Amino acid sequence: SGDWSSDVCSSDLSKNIINELEDNNQIVLQYCDASGNISEQFNPNGSIKNIAGIVNKKGNVFGLMPHPERASDELLGGMDGSLIFKSLK
């Protein structure tokens, strides 16, 4: 934006939101390797703290950054994404 005061405020706001999500155990998915090691190396979009999925405080609304529907059929190149849908029963 070029306005340093709004950049500082938005940065502080982001930190506060992330801290709140962490404090409330609302970060439910993070980008990682096959062994569960969280690293920026495995983060395809540069999200803060490798966050890929969060829930609201009640845990009944789930927000997801990756698109599992794009990997839920062999015709689309793989079935890995279908695991998300199969887990929702």
XYZ file of all heavy atoms in Angstrom:
670
model
N 0.811 -1.196 0.000
C 0.000 0.000 0.000
C 0.853 1.258 0.000
O 0.388 2.308 -0.343
C -0.937 -0.019 1.204
O -0.204 0.127 2.412
N 2.101 1.184 0.449
C 2.952 2.347 0.499
C 2.780 3.149 1.775
O 3.580 4.015 2.084
N 1.740 2.904 2.528
C 1.483 3.609 3.780
C 2.011 2.741 4.914
O 1.409 1.738 5.270
C -0.022 3.859 3.921
C -0.389 4.545 5.223
O 0.509 4.860 6.021
O -1.584 4.749 5.440
N 3.162 3.123 5.486
C 3.805 2.270 6.483
C 2.917 2.018 7.687
O 2.951 0.942 8.260
C 5.155 2.853 6.917
C 5.019 4.103 7.741
C 5.018 5.377 7.272
C 4.855 4.187 9.146
N 4.855 6.262 8.312
C 4.756 5.560 9.468
C 4.782 3.251 10.169
C 4.585 6.005 10.777
C 4.611 3.704 11.469
C 4.516 5.060 11.766
N 2.066 2.973 8.066
C 1.237 2.781 9.258
C 0.197 1.694 9.033
O -0.066 0.885 9.916
C 0.561 4.085 9.676
O -0.271 4.565 8.640
N -0.393 1.611 7.839
C -1.373 0.557 7.586
C -0.684 -0.790 7.449
O -1.238 -1.814 7.837
C -2.205 0.875 6.338
O -1.385 0.903 5.190
N 0.546 -0.800 6.909
C 1.287 -2.058 6.818
C 1.624 -2.587 8.202
O 1.505 -3.787 8.465
C 2.570 -1.881 6.004
C 2.311 -1.621 4.541
O 1.200 -1.887 4.070
O 3.248 -1.147 3.871
N 2.031 -1.716 9.094
C 2.349 -2.133 10.465
C 1.097 -2.648 11.142
O 1.104 -3.693 11.785
C 2.972 -0.967 11.262
C 3.069 -1.305 12.740
C 4.349 -0.630 10.713
N -0.011 -1.948 10.980
C -1.261 -2.368 11.611
C -1.720 -3.718 11.079
O -2.129 -4.588 11.842
C -2.359 -1.336 11.393
S -2.094 0.190 12.316
N -1.644 -3.914 9.776
C -2.098 -5.188 9.221
C -1.173 -6.317 9.655
O -1.618 -7.426 9.896
C -2.205 -5.111 7.699
O -0.934 -4.894 7.123
N 0.115 -6.033 9.789
C 1.055 -7.041 10.257
C 0.758 -7.424 11.700
O 0.740 -8.591 12.052
C 2.478 -6.520 10.134
O 3.401 -7.428 10.678
N 0.506 -6.429 12.548
C 0.158 -6.697 13.940
C -1.160 -7.448 14.031
O -1.315 -8.357 14.844
C 0.068 -5.397 14.738
C 1.435 -4.763 14.973
O 2.457 -5.467 14.821
O 1.477 -3.564 15.292
N -2.125 -7.079 13.194
C -3.413 -7.755 13.178
C -3.235 -9.221 12.805
O -3.798 -10.103 13.451
C -4.370 -7.058 12.207
C -5.750 -7.664 12.057
C -6.488 -7.646 13.390
C -6.557 -6.889 11.022
N -2.432 -9.491 11.778
C -2.171 -10.869 11.372
C -1.556 -11.666 12.506
O -1.952 -12.798 12.763
C -1.240 -10.908 10.162
O -1.864 -10.351 9.038
N -0.583 -11.073 13.198
C 0.052 -11.762 14.326
C -0.959 -12.058 15.419
O -0.963 -13.146 15.992
C 1.203 -10.924 14.884
C 2.407 -10.869 13.984
C 3.471 -9.957 14.557
C 4.607 -9.760 13.568
N 5.574 -8.786 14.032
N -1.840 -11.095 15.701
C -2.859 -11.299 16.728
C -3.827 -12.406 16.340
O -4.217 -13.230 17.176
C -3.618 -10.000 17.009
C -2.769 -8.964 17.715
O -1.782 -9.294 18.369
N -3.147 -7.713 17.580
N -4.223 -12.434 15.082
C -5.143 -13.479 14.614
C -4.478 -14.843 14.692
O -5.087 -15.809 15.169
C -5.624 -13.172 13.179
C -6.541 -11.941 13.197
C -6.341 -14.363 12.577
C -6.880 -11.392 11.830
N -3.247 -14.946 14.239
C -2.528 -16.222 14.298
C -2.368 -16.674 15.742
O -2.593 -17.845 16.064
C -1.145 -16.115 13.605
C -1.313 -15.813 12.123
C -0.336 -17.390 13.822
C -2.094 -16.823 11.331
N -2.002 -15.756 16.631
C -1.870 -16.110 18.051
C -3.191 -16.620 18.608
O -3.217 -17.593 19.370
C -1.375 -14.919 18.864
C 0.075 -14.594 18.592
O 0.840 -15.436 18.119
N 0.464 -13.365 18.862
N -4.284 -15.974 18.249
C -5.600 -16.410 18.724
C -5.954 -17.792 18.183
O -6.452 -18.642 18.912
C -6.670 -15.395 18.316
C -8.040 -15.730 18.856
C -9.089 -14.682 18.519
O -8.725 -13.530 18.227
O -10.277 -15.034 18.560
N -5.688 -18.015 16.903
C -5.942 -19.334 16.312
C -5.130 -20.411 17.030
O -5.647 -21.498 17.324
C -5.602 -19.329 14.822
C -6.524 -18.533 13.906
C -5.922 -18.443 12.511
C -7.912 -19.143 13.868
N -3.873 -20.116 17.303
C -3.021 -21.078 18.009
C -3.527 -21.316 19.435
O -3.639 -22.462 19.871
C -1.573 -20.600 18.042
C -0.877 -20.676 16.708
C 0.545 -20.161 16.752
O 0.810 -19.140 17.437
O 1.393 -20.773 16.095
N -3.835 -20.246 20.147
C -4.290 -20.350 21.539
C -5.577 -21.164 21.646
O -5.792 -21.864 22.634
C -4.512 -18.964 22.151
C -3.216 -18.196 22.362
O -2.122 -18.803 22.286
O -3.293 -16.973 22.585
N -6.429 -21.070 20.636
C -7.713 -21.779 20.650
C -7.663 -23.122 19.912
O -8.711 -23.726 19.679
C -8.802 -20.894 20.031
C -9.086 -19.673 20.857
O -9.119 -19.728 22.081
N -9.289 -18.542 20.201
N -6.459 -23.568 19.533
C -6.300 -24.839 18.804
C -7.180 -24.897 17.558
O -7.780 -25.930 17.260
C -6.576 -26.030 19.714
C -5.579 -26.129 20.834
O -4.379 -26.026 20.608
N -6.063 -26.295 22.049
N -7.226 -23.783 16.827
C -8.057 -23.710 15.630
C -7.290 -24.011 14.348
O -7.908 -24.126 13.291
C -8.705 -22.323 15.530
C -9.746 -22.066 16.597
C -10.262 -20.653 16.541
O -9.837 -19.797 17.301
N -11.165 -20.392 15.604
N -5.979 -24.156 14.422
C -5.195 -24.544 13.248
C -5.206 -26.062 13.208
O -4.649 -26.720 14.080
C -3.757 -23.994 13.327
C -3.784 -22.466 13.395
C -2.934 -24.477 12.126
C -2.432 -21.828 13.684
N -5.875 -26.620 12.201
C -6.060 -28.069 12.165
C -5.242 -28.770 11.085
O -5.056 -29.985 11.149
C -7.550 -28.449 12.037
C -8.320 -28.017 13.282
C -8.183 -27.834 10.796
N -4.757 -28.017 10.106
C -3.918 -28.595 9.054
C -2.776 -27.643 8.730
O -2.975 -26.428 8.642
C -4.714 -28.845 7.772
C -5.811 -29.888 7.807
C -6.569 -29.903 6.487
C -5.256 -31.268 8.097
N -1.582 -28.215 8.562
C -0.429 -27.441 8.125
C 0.300 -28.226 7.045
O 0.310 -29.457 7.053
C 0.525 -27.189 9.298
C -0.046 -26.242 10.346
C 0.873 -26.086 11.523
O 0.909 -26.960 12.375
N 1.624 -24.997 11.560
N 0.893 -27.494 6.112
C 1.674 -28.127 5.057
C 2.910 -28.770 5.680
O 3.590 -28.164 6.504
C 2.094 -27.114 3.994
C 0.930 -26.511 3.252
C 0.535 -25.200 3.476
C 0.224 -27.267 2.326
C -0.533 -24.650 2.788
C -0.850 -26.726 1.629
C -1.217 -25.424 1.877
O -2.282 -24.878 1.197
N 3.196 -30.019 5.274
C 4.321 -30.759 5.837
C 4.777 -31.828 4.850
O 4.155 -32.028 3.810
C 3.913 -31.407 7.160
S 2.616 -32.652 6.992
N 5.843 -32.531 5.218
C 6.295 -33.649 4.388
C 5.531 -34.917 4.795
O 4.675 -34.879 5.691
C 7.809 -33.828 4.464
C 8.310 -34.314 5.811
O 7.496 -34.661 6.696
O 9.542 -34.345 5.995
N 5.834 -36.024 4.167
C 5.129 -37.286 4.422
C 5.305 -37.783 5.856
O 4.486 -38.563 6.345
C 5.600 -38.351 3.434
N 6.330 -37.307 6.540
C 6.566 -37.718 7.928
C 5.973 -36.741 8.942
O 6.117 -36.928 10.143
C 8.075 -37.852 8.183
O 8.629 -38.838 7.345
N 5.341 -35.683 8.460
C 4.722 -34.706 9.347
C 5.618 -33.561 9.762
O 5.254 -32.775 10.633
N 6.789 -33.446 9.137
C 7.706 -32.348 9.444
C 7.241 -31.070 8.756
O 7.159 -31.015 7.528
C 9.129 -32.692 8.993
C 9.651 -33.923 9.681
O 9.637 -34.008 10.898
N 10.092 -34.895 8.894
N 6.929 -30.060 9.554
C 6.439 -28.793 9.027
C 7.624 -27.915 8.653
O 8.500 -27.668 9.471
C 5.547 -28.096 10.070
C 4.318 -28.972 10.354
C 5.134 -26.710 9.592
C 3.529 -28.553 11.564
N 7.653 -27.480 7.393
C 8.755 -26.674 6.895
C 8.255 -25.817 5.740
O 7.372 -26.239 4.990
C 9.886 -27.582 6.420
O 10.843 -26.855 5.692
N 8.824 -24.633 5.605
C 8.463 -23.760 4.482
C 8.710 -24.445 3.144
O 8.067 -24.127 2.149
C 9.237 -22.448 4.563
C 8.769 -21.551 5.676
C 9.461 -20.193 5.675
O 9.959 -19.781 4.604
O 9.507 -19.574 6.743
N 9.615 -25.389 3.123
C 9.939 -26.132 1.896
C 8.703 -26.837 1.325
O 8.596 -27.035 0.123
C 11.033 -27.152 2.210
C 11.376 -28.088 1.100
C 12.399 -29.129 1.543
O 12.914 -29.081 2.644
N 12.675 -30.079 0.679
N 7.758 -27.203 2.201
C 6.580 -27.952 1.768
C 5.335 -27.079 1.657
O 4.237 -27.575 1.482
C 6.332 -29.113 2.739
C 7.551 -29.957 2.937
C 8.247 -29.918 4.129
C 8.035 -30.750 1.914
C 9.398 -30.670 4.302
C 9.191 -31.496 2.068
C 9.869 -31.462 3.268
N 5.531 -25.767 1.772
C 4.436 -24.809 1.747
C 4.301 -24.245 0.335
O 5.101 -23.426 -0.081
C 4.732 -23.696 2.763
C 3.604 -22.719 2.925
O 2.750 -22.585 2.067
N 3.620 -22.004 4.024
N 3.275 -24.658 -0.409
C 3.177 -24.236 -1.809
C 2.720 -22.798 -2.021
O 2.856 -22.271 -3.115
C 2.133 -25.200 -2.384
C 1.269 -25.524 -1.222
C 2.192 -25.557 -0.029
N 2.179 -22.149 -0.985
C 1.623 -20.818 -1.212
C 2.147 -19.746 -0.259
O 1.682 -18.621 -0.295
C 0.099 -20.863 -1.151
C -0.414 -21.328 0.192
O 0.323 -21.375 1.171
N -1.674 -21.686 0.248
N 3.080 -20.093 0.612
C 3.665 -19.111 1.516
C 2.781 -18.712 2.677
O 2.989 -17.659 3.283
N 1.801 -19.532 3.023
C 0.917 -19.184 4.134
C 1.703 -19.106 5.439
O 2.684 -19.812 5.638
C -0.219 -20.201 4.269
O 0.287 -21.473 4.601
N 1.259 -18.222 6.331
C 1.912 -18.040 7.626
C 1.855 -19.351 8.405
O 0.804 -19.994 8.474
C 1.219 -16.912 8.420
C 1.354 -15.583 7.677
C 1.780 -16.807 9.828
C 0.506 -14.463 8.252
N 2.998 -19.752 8.957
C 3.119 -20.966 9.772
C 2.623 -22.215 9.052
O 2.146 -23.150 9.667
C 2.416 -20.785 11.111
C 3.053 -19.694 11.954
C 2.797 -19.886 13.407
C 3.577 -18.823 14.167
N 3.709 -19.135 15.556
N 2.689 -22.191 7.726
C 2.295 -23.329 6.891
C 0.830 -23.722 7.073
O 0.447 -24.870 6.857
C 3.191 -24.539 7.163
C 4.562 -24.392 6.569
O 5.126 -23.307 6.527
N 5.129 -25.477 6.113
N -0.001 -22.774 7.454
C -1.411 -23.081 7.722
C -2.126 -23.464 6.431
O -2.093 -22.746 5.447
C -2.119 -21.889 8.391
C -1.497 -21.622 9.766
C -3.620 -22.150 8.519
C -1.998 -20.358 10.441
N -2.795 -24.620 6.477
C -3.570 -25.103 5.342
C -5.051 -25.206 5.681
O -5.890 -25.197 4.787
C -3.055 -26.471 4.891
N -5.387 -25.314 6.978
C -6.783 -25.435 7.367
C -7.019 -24.952 8.785
O -6.190 -25.166 9.673
N -8.149 -24.274 8.968
C -8.529 -23.776 10.294
C -10.003 -24.096 10.543
O -10.758 -24.373 9.601
C -8.299 -22.258 10.440
C -9.102 -21.462 9.407
C -6.819 -21.923 10.339
C -9.047 -19.950 9.577
N -10.387 -24.055 11.812
C -11.793 -24.201 12.188
C -12.199 -22.993 13.033
O -11.351 -22.324 13.615
C -12.059 -25.501 12.978
C -11.847 -26.723 12.111
C -11.226 -25.582 14.237
N -13.512 -22.767 13.106
C -13.991 -21.710 13.982
C -13.904 -22.195 15.432
O -13.555 -23.352 15.690
C -15.415 -21.276 13.606
C -16.451 -22.349 13.851
O -16.147 -23.526 14.039
N -17.709 -21.953 13.838
N -14.219 -21.336 16.389
C -14.070 -21.688 17.809
C -14.941 -22.869 18.208
O -14.557 -23.661 19.066
C -14.367 -20.483 18.697
C -13.266 -19.447 18.659
C -13.547 -18.281 19.582
C -12.427 -17.259 19.497
N -12.691 -16.095 20.349
N -16.100 -23.022 17.587
C -16.977 -24.159 17.902
C -16.495 -25.447 17.240
O -16.906 -26.537 17.622
C -18.407 -23.876 17.447
C -19.110 -22.826 18.255
C -20.545 -22.670 17.775
C -21.285 -21.644 18.585
N -22.685 -21.510 18.129
N -15.646 -25.314 16.228
C -15.133 -26.484 15.515
C -16.091 -27.054 14.483
O -15.860 -28.124 13.953
N -17.149 -26.307 14.173
C -18.124 -26.835 13.215
C -18.041 -26.195 11.829
O -18.809 -26.536 10.948
C -19.541 -26.697 13.773
C -19.961 -25.256 13.996
O -19.130 -24.358 14.078
N -21.251 -25.028 14.119
N -17.108 -25.259 11.642
C -16.867 -24.665 10.324
C -15.389 -24.823 10.015
O -14.529 -24.437 10.803
C -17.263 -23.168 10.292
C -16.934 -22.560 8.934
C -18.730 -22.991 10.619
N -15.102 -25.423 8.874
C -13.743 -25.771 8.480
C -13.370 -25.003 7.221
O -14.093 -25.054 6.229
C -13.709 -27.279 8.233
C -12.421 -27.835 7.719
C -11.208 -27.506 8.289
C -12.429 -28.743 6.673
C -10.021 -28.058 7.824
C -11.256 -29.312 6.206
C -10.049 -28.958 6.781
N -12.272 -24.254 7.286
C -11.763 -23.545 6.115
C -10.491 -24.216 5.631
O -9.599 -24.513 6.425
N -10.424 -24.475 4.343
C -9.322 -25.249 3.771
C -8.725 -24.513 2.596
O -9.437 -24.096 1.679
C -9.866 -26.610 3.333
C -8.909 -27.609 2.729
C -7.882 -28.062 3.768
C -9.679 -28.817 2.223
N -7.394 -24.358 2.588
C -6.729 -23.689 1.475
C -6.514 -24.630 0.282
O -6.803 -24.259 -0.836
C -5.390 -23.103 1.945
C -4.652 -22.361 0.871
S -5.646 -21.003 0.227
C -4.806 -20.671 -1.284
N -5.995 -25.843 0.481
C -5.821 -26.726 -0.679
C -7.183 -27.100 -1.274
O -8.209 -26.954 -0.625
C -5.137 -27.964 -0.104
C -4.662 -27.595 1.234
C -5.524 -26.467 1.708
N -7.174 -27.617 -2.462
C -8.399 -28.015 -3.144
C -8.438 -29.530 -3.308
O -8.016 -30.062 -4.331
C -8.493 -27.342 -4.513
C -8.615 -25.863 -4.437
N -9.831 -25.243 -4.269
C -7.685 -24.887 -4.452
C -9.650 -23.938 -4.211
N -8.355 -23.691 -4.310
N -8.953 -30.259 -2.298
C -8.956 -31.720 -2.384
C -9.818 -32.239 -3.529
O -9.565 -33.332 -4.046
C -9.508 -32.161 -1.028
C -10.264 -30.992 -0.513
C -9.562 -29.784 -1.056
N -10.805 -31.454 -3.941
C -11.657 -31.903 -5.044
C -10.871 -32.029 -6.345
O -11.275 -32.740 -7.259
C -12.859 -30.964 -5.218
C -12.556 -29.614 -5.835
C -12.027 -28.560 -4.866
O -11.750 -28.873 -3.698
O -11.861 -27.402 -5.300
N -9.727 -31.372 -6.418
C -8.891 -31.450 -7.620
C -8.003 -32.689 -7.620
O -7.278 -32.932 -8.587
C -8.034 -30.194 -7.739
C -8.864 -28.950 -7.960
C -7.992 -27.735 -8.114
N -8.810 -26.526 -8.228
C -8.333 -25.315 -8.162
N -7.035 -25.115 -8.004
N -9.133 -24.271 -8.262
N -8.054 -33.450 -6.535
C -7.275 -34.698 -6.443
C -8.131 -35.781 -5.795
O -7.740 -36.434 -4.850
C -6.006 -34.468 -5.633
N -9.341 -35.934 -6.317
C -10.254 -36.901 -5.711
C -10.779 -37.918 -6.716
O -11.769 -38.585 -6.474
C -11.416 -36.177 -5.031
O -12.127 -35.400 -5.966
N -10.097 -38.025 -7.830
C -10.485 -39.001 -8.837
C -9.256 -39.317 -9.686
O -8.457 -38.430 -9.974
C -11.606 -38.423 -9.720
C -12.249 -39.474 -10.585
O -11.573 -40.014 -11.489
O -13.441 -39.767 -10.359
N -9.117 -40.573 -10.064
C -7.976 -40.977 -10.900
C -7.934 -40.185 -12.207
O -6.860 -39.893 -12.723
C -8.016 -42.477 -11.193
C -7.749 -43.348 -9.986
C -6.351 -43.181 -9.390
O -5.434 -42.699 -10.080
O -6.184 -43.548 -8.213
N -9.093 -39.811 -12.726
C -9.143 -39.023 -13.961
C -8.508 -37.644 -13.776
O -8.057 -37.031 -14.738
C -10.590 -38.856 -14.437
C -11.274 -40.122 -14.950
C -12.748 -39.852 -15.232
C -10.577 -40.639 -16.203
N -8.472 -37.174 -12.520
C -7.878 -35.871 -12.222
C -6.412 -35.979 -11.834
O -5.776 -34.989 -11.520
C -8.660 -35.190 -11.098
C -10.128 -34.901 -11.401
C -10.838 -34.400 -10.152
C -10.254 -33.891 -12.530
N -5.899 -37.195 -11.799
C -4.484 -37.386 -11.516
C -4.154 -37.991 -10.168
O -2.990 -38.150 -9.832
N -5.139 -38.327 -9.371
C -4.855 -38.958 -8.088
C -6.045 -38.944 -7.159
O -7.046 -38.279 -7.408
N -5.896 -39.708 -6.086
C -6.988 -39.877 -5.127
C -6.668 -39.300 -3.753
O -7.467 -39.426 -2.830
C -7.316 -41.371 -4.985
C -7.868 -42.022 -6.234
S -9.500 -41.406 -6.662
C -10.450 -41.998 -5.282
N -5.514 -38.660 -3.569
C -5.123 -38.159 -2.248
C -6.167 -37.237 -1.628
O -6.425 -37.286 -0.425
C -3.786 -37.433 -2.307
C -2.618 -38.364 -2.569
O -2.805 -39.588 -2.516
O -1.515 -37.850 -2.831
N -6.770 -36.388 -2.419
C -7.761 -35.442 -1.906
C -9.021 -36.095 -1.388
O -9.720 -35.555 -0.540
N -9.321 -37.287 -1.877
C -10.539 -37.971 -1.434
C -10.486 -38.343 0.046
O -11.524 -38.523 0.671
C -10.792 -39.206 -2.286
O -9.784 -40.174 -2.084
N -9.292 -38.422 0.617
C -9.174 -38.748 2.038
C -9.869 -37.708 2.913
O -10.460 -38.059 3.938
C -7.705 -38.872 2.429
C -6.915 -39.981 1.740
C -5.436 -39.882 2.085
C -7.470 -41.342 2.100
N -9.806 -36.449 2.514
C -10.493 -35.381 3.263
C -11.999 -35.656 3.266
O -12.645 -35.610 4.308
C -10.208 -33.987 2.652
C -8.740 -33.613 2.810
C -11.126 -32.935 3.234
C -8.327 -33.223 4.196
N -12.546 -35.964 2.100
C -13.998 -36.187 2.002
C -14.423 -37.456 2.739
O -15.448 -37.475 3.399
C -14.428 -36.228 0.537
C -14.165 -34.944 -0.185
C -13.236 -34.890 -1.204
C -14.837 -33.790 0.162
C -12.974 -33.688 -1.858
C -14.589 -32.584 -0.486
C -13.653 -32.537 -1.500
N -13.621 -38.486 2.667
C -13.948 -39.741 3.344
C -13.902 -39.598 4.861
O -14.586 -40.332 5.570
C -13.008 -40.851 2.885
C -13.250 -41.281 1.455
C -12.257 -42.325 1.010
C -12.493 -42.701 -0.449
N -11.480 -43.620 -0.945
N -13.119 -38.636 5.351
C -13.009 -38.455 6.796
C -14.200 -37.694 7.379
O -14.374 -37.647 8.592
C -11.719 -37.718 7.142
O -11.800 -36.360 6.756
N -15.011 -37.094 6.536
C -16.157 -36.288 6.981
C -17.413 -37.137 7.019
O -18.181 -37.186 6.080
C -16.351 -35.082 6.058
C -15.183 -34.159 5.894
C -15.450 -33.135 4.805
C -14.862 -33.464 7.200
N -17.623 -37.812 8.103
C -18.820 -38.668 8.221
C -19.701 -38.191 9.326
O -19.349 -37.635 10.269
C -18.408 -40.107 8.475
C -17.706 -40.713 7.299
C -17.398 -42.148 7.551
C -16.715 -42.745 6.331
N -16.429 -44.134 6.495
